[in-house]
């Protein structure tokens, strides 16, 4: 298992040139790896955190080089591999190959763009249709449903794509989110879509749309204290500087695609010895 994935990791440009049967082999292999990873706890001395890459294969390749060159124990990708970017299909194939080759060191979380709801409007469904066929999109969508919503690193660093959800009181609830192609579970939906917001108390409706909320520092603090969470690392928002700290350094939001709809100084997070810092994707 994984010989094709190993070749793609060595030569990432191949990820954009695969035929349909090769893609199915990659997805079958990674599907076996992902089985049961709806929520899990992991340990690592040196950890790399990667925000949205949105079809930017160039930035993802730089992240992978850093991961392999620096010998991180873990790389946690926080979702949004597709939509908007020029190499959406290739970027998705590449991160799936990384997961296949390094199953215990690479974590792929689900983002709000690993859903048909987003893919209908932001490009990935069309990109797959042009490259293969409209029906082939279902192959990717079934894989998206296998991606976990969150992970807990070293017992205290919560990683997810969006944010805390209304009704999410215990970490154990993240294990119970149904794995669906269309995300209909309200907690799962909000974990993918919600945002932190300075100056807000509780939950307030989000401009992103119905069923989505912004949440305040009080929400995060209560959840963190009840569950032993020291810091949360998430993605989901674009910033020209590539990152933003929320709530006096308790939440780090990352954006790791340099080639986007606006110029971005793409960043990743790095944790070693309990210290979390931000570094340039291309450093």
């Amino acid at each position: 298992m994984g010989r094709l994935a190993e070749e793609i990791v060595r030569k990432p440009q191949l990820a954009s040139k695969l035929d349909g049967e090769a893609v199915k082999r990659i997805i079958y292999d990674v599907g076996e790896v992902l089985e049961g990873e709806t929520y899990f706890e992991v340990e690592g001395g040196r950890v790399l955190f990667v925000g949205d890459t949105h079809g930017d294969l160039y930035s993802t390749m730089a992240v992978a080089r850093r991961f392999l060159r620096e010998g991180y124990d873990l790389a946690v990708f926080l979702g949004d591999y597709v939509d908007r970017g020029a190499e959406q299909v290739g970027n998705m194939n590449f991160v799936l190959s990384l997961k296949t080759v390094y199953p215990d060191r690479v974590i792929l979380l689900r983002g709000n763009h690993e859903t048909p709801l987003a893919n209908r409007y932001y490009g990935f469904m069309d990109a797959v249709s042009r490259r293969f066929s409209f029906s082939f999109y279902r192959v990717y969508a079934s894989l998206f449903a296998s991606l976990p919503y969150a992970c807990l690193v070293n017992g205290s660093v919560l990683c997810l794509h969006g944010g805390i959800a209304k009704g999410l009181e215990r970490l154990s609830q993240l294990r119970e989110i149904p794995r669906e192609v269309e995300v209909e579970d309200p907690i799962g939906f909000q974990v993918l879509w919600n945002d932190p917001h300075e100056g807000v108390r509780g939950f307030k409706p989000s401009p992103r749309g119905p069923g989505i909320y912004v949440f305040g520092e009080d929400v995060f603090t209560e959840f963190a204290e009840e569950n032993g969470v020291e810091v949360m690392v998430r993605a989901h928002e674009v910033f020209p500087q590539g990152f933003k700290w929320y709530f006096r350094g308790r939440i780090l939001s990352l954006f790791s695609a340099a080639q986007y709809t606006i110029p971005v100084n793409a960043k990743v997070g790095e944790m070693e010895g309990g210290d979390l810092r931000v570094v340039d994707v291309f450093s």
Side-chain angles (χ1 to χ4, degrees):
M1 184 180 80
R3 292 178 62 184
L4 175 59
E6 290 175 356
E7 186 175 4
I8 292 168
V9 171
R10 288 195 301 270
K11 300 176 181 178
Q13 294 84 355
L14 294 175
S16 298
K17 302 175 182 179
L18 301 179
D19 62 23
E21 289 305 310
V23 171
K24 288 179 181 178
R25 290 210 309 276
I26 292 286
I27 288 178
Y28 176 81
D29 287 347
V30 81
E32 289 193 321
V33 173
L34 288 168
E35 188 69 29
E37 285 189 355
T38 53
Y39 176 78
F40 52 99
E41 299 183 18
V42 292
E43 301 284 333
R46 298 192 70 213
V47 185
L48 187 68
F49 302 97
V50 188
D52 299 29
T53 52
H54 276 303
D56 182 2
L57 181 58
Y58 181 64
S59 292
T60 307
M61 288 166 56
V63 169
R65 286 194 298 268
R66 183 183 189 91
F67 168 64
L68 297 173
R69 181 186 72 234
E70 301 295 333
Y72 291 94
D73 299 305
L74 297 171
V76 181
F77 288 79
L78 300 161
D80 280 15
Y81 316 102
V82 300
D83 285 336
R84 294 195 176 101
E87 294 286 351
Q88 300 173 44
V89 174
N91 196 54
M92 191 73 243
N93 294 341
F94 182 55
V95 296
L96 293 178
S97 298
L98 281 172
K99 176 65 178 177
T100 302
V101 175
Y102 303 102
D104 298 323
R105 296 175 59 200
V106 172
I107 297 169
L108 303 182
L109 301 183
R110 190 174 188 175
N112 67 303
H113 282 268
E114 280 70 61
T115 62
L117 175 65
N119 298 157
R120 289 186 191 100
Y121 301 104
Y122 295 104
F124 186 61
M125 196 174 285
D126 289 341
V128 173
S129 297
R130 289 193 301 269
R131 183 73 178 82
F132 304 110
S133 67
F134 180 77
S135 62
F136 198 89
Y137 172 77
R138 292 197 296 268
V139 177
Y140 283 104
S142 64
L143 183 279
F144 292 163
S146 299
L147 296 174
Y149 285 81
C151 73
L152 189 69
V153 176
N154 296 338
S156 63
V157 181
L158 178 61
C159 302
L160 47 73
H161 182 73
I164 304 300
K166 271 189 173 183
L168 179 63
E169 299 175 351
R170 304 177 309 279
L171 287 173
S172 60
Q173 290 176 260
L174 295 169
R175 299 187 184 97
E176 301 163 8
I177 298 172
R179 291 191 289 176
E180 304 166 317
V181 173
E182 297 278 5
V183 183
E184 298 179 356
D185 179 83
I187 288 180
F189 185 75
Q190 291 176 60
V191 164
L192 299 182
W193 283 91
N194 285 3
D195 296 295
H197 197 290
E198 301 284 359
V200 165
R201 288 190 60 81
F203 290 93
K204 301 294 182 184
S206 169
R208 292 185 185 271
I212 306 170
Y213 299 91
V214 297
F215 60 94
E217 184 174 0
D218 57 333
V219 168
F220 176 75
T221 300
E222 181 178 358
F223 179 84
E225 289 179 353
E226 288 292 324
N227 291 278
V229 171
E230 294 181 4
V231 66
M232 187 169 82
V233 184
R234 49 92 69 177
H236 194 42
E237 292 182 278
V238 59
F239 310 102
Q241 69 273 25
F243 75 102
K244 182 175 180 178
W245 290 98
Y246 285 95
F247 306 157
R248 292 175 284 186
R250 297 293 303 279
I251 294 179
L252 173 60
S253 189
L254 295 165
F255 198 88
S256 303
Q259 299 178 348
Y260 194 61
T261 55
I262 64 169
V264 176
N265 187 2
K267 295 292 195 299
V268 290
E270 178 183 74
M271 187 172 68
E272 185 172 9
D275 294 326
L276 179 61
R277 67 190 186 101
V278 174
V279 295
D280 289 332
V281 163
F282 298 99
S283 63

